[in-house]
Amino acid sequence: ICGDSDGSNSITISDAVSIISYIFSSGAPPNPLEAADVDCSGMVTISDAVYLINYIFAGGTAPCVGCP
């Protein structure tokens, strides 16, 4: 599932936290890494976490469909 960066088979705030931890705290990388690239930019950045937070809490655009 694109956006499911913590491997729980659903998209929740834990996925955004997982991305933030990976980027800023040397947390475990998402598996597969592409699942965290929710904006399909080709990179996992803080923008992906912000994108997920907007999707979850503000009804923003769903994660892209290019993930594995």
Side-chain angles (χ1 to χ4, degrees):
I1 299 173
C2 191
D4 179 23
S5 63
D6 67 0
S8 67
N9 291 320
S10 63
I11 299 172
T12 66
I13 192 63
S14 294
D15 297 301
V17 171
S18 170
I19 293 170
I20 292 168
S21 175
Y22 169 65
I23 294 170
F24 293 110
S25 302
S26 300
N31 186 17
L33 186 62
E34 294 82 16
D37 182 19
V38 298
D39 62 3
C40 285
S41 67
M43 300 181 303
V44 177
T45 65
I46 192 62
S47 295
D48 295 299
V50 171
Y51 193 105
L52 274 183
I53 291 167
N54 186 49
Y55 170 66
I56 293 165
F57 292 110
T61 305
C64 66
V65 294
C67 295

